[in-house]
Amino acid sequence: MALIGREKEQDLLEQCILSKRPEFLVIYGRRRVGKTYLIKEYFNERFSFYSTGIPSKKTHDQLKAFNESLIDYGDEIKTIPKDWFEAFRRLKGILEKDDIIRDSASGKRIVFLDEVPWMDTARSDFKSAFDFFWNSWGSSQKDMLLIVCGSATSWIIKNILSDTGGFYNRITRKMHLAPL
């Protein structure tokens, strides 16, 4: 790990990885403060799954990018998911495989979804599918660490942290990353 500083944030990440329960960590902060860098460096890019949203693209392109990540992590279905529900169902399939990459110390499966606000395009049902994925399956997986990140702070606060629907009381930890 080549991180210097951010001790408080590294302590929080260590608590998440050593936890005996499923963890849902939300990281937010303005652009260019090092959110993605922190997570990639801390975990040495050893994720069970990683995908990032694409700025200013429609649902089809977001699903196309997510599909590339699914394939990279072992999904054998090559076609672009028809919707986010299918995409998250396929992600669940990957995460249930015996040979999935896990944290070497804790055995946790680490899922990192970067720039989540970009994935939530108009009428895409991203949030509903993501909510269903976490509430119907992910939140019962004691060895799961789900990390979501985004620079659109207002979207993160409104749609995840302050959500009164499916994400209400489901976020286990949050990190506001300020500039150094």
Side-chain angles (χ1 to χ4, degrees), residues 64-115:
K64 186 176 179 181
F66 198 87
N67 187 58
E68 289 300 316
S69 295
L70 289 168
I71 293 167
D72 288 347
Y73 284 90
D75 189 16
E76 295 177 11
I77 302 170
K78 305 297 185 208
T79 57
I80 298 169
K82 70 179 182 335
D83 58 27
W84 282 109
F85 284 93
E86 180 184 341
F88 281 108
R89 180 183 51 75
R90 287 169 50 188
L91 172 57
K92 176 184 169 197
I94 289 170
L95 295 172
E96 289 179 328
K97 290 183 176 182
D98 291 334
D99 62 346
I100 192 73
I101 296 170
R102 292 177 179 267
D103 178 69
S104 58
S106 68
K108 280 212 177 201
R109 293 172 284 181
I110 303 167
V111 176
F112 180 28
L113 301 180
D114 197 6
E115 293 299 354

Side-chain angles (χ1 to χ4, degrees), residues 18-156:
L18 296 177
S19 170
K20 301 297 184 199
R21 65 180 186 159
E23 294 285 351
F24 186 163
L25 171 64
V26 177
I27 303 173
Y28 62 104
R30 71 170 180 77
R31 295 188 57 68
R32 314 304 313 158
V33 296
K35 297 177 298 298
T36 301
Y37 179 81
L38 171 67
I39 299 305
K40 284 185 170 184
E41 286 298 310
Y42 186 86
F43 293 108
N44 197 24
E45 297 199 42
R46 299 233 349 116
F47 302 114
S48 303
F49 183 79
Y50 168 78
S51 191
T52 188
I54 306 169
S56 306
K57 292 294 183 180
K58 297 198 182 300
T59 303
H60 178 77
D61 292 321
Q62 301 295 343
L63 286 166
K64 186 176 179 181
F66 198 87
N67 187 58
E68 289 300 316
S69 295
L70 289 168
I71 293 167
D72 288 347
Y73 284 90
D75 189 16
E76 295 177 11
I77 302 170
K78 305 297 185 208
T79 57
I80 298 169
K82 70 179 182 335
D83 58 27
W84 282 109
F85 284 93
E86 180 184 341
F88 281 108
R89 180 183 51 75
R90 287 169 50 188
L91 172 57
K92 176 184 169 197
I94 289 170
L95 295 172
E96 289 179 328
K97 290 183 176 182
D98 291 334
D99 62 346
I100 192 73
I101 296 170
R102 292 177 179 267
D103 178 69
S104 58
S106 68
K108 280 212 177 201
R109 293 172 284 181
I110 303 167
V111 176
F112 180 28
L113 301 180
D114 197 6
E115 293 299 354
V116 168
W118 290 339
M119 293 180 189
D120 186 32
T121 57
R123 297 177 301 283
S124 70
D125 268 344
F126 170 81
K127 190 177 163 201
S128 297
F130 182 36
D131 172 314
F132 182 75
F133 166 78
W134 182 251
N135 288 318
S136 69
W137 183 78
S139 65
S140 66
Q141 305 299 304
K142 294 188 185 324
D143 63 345
M144 177 74 67
L145 169 54
L146 172 63
I147 303 168
V148 298
C149 180
S151 299
T153 302
S154 60
W155 187 96
I156 294 282

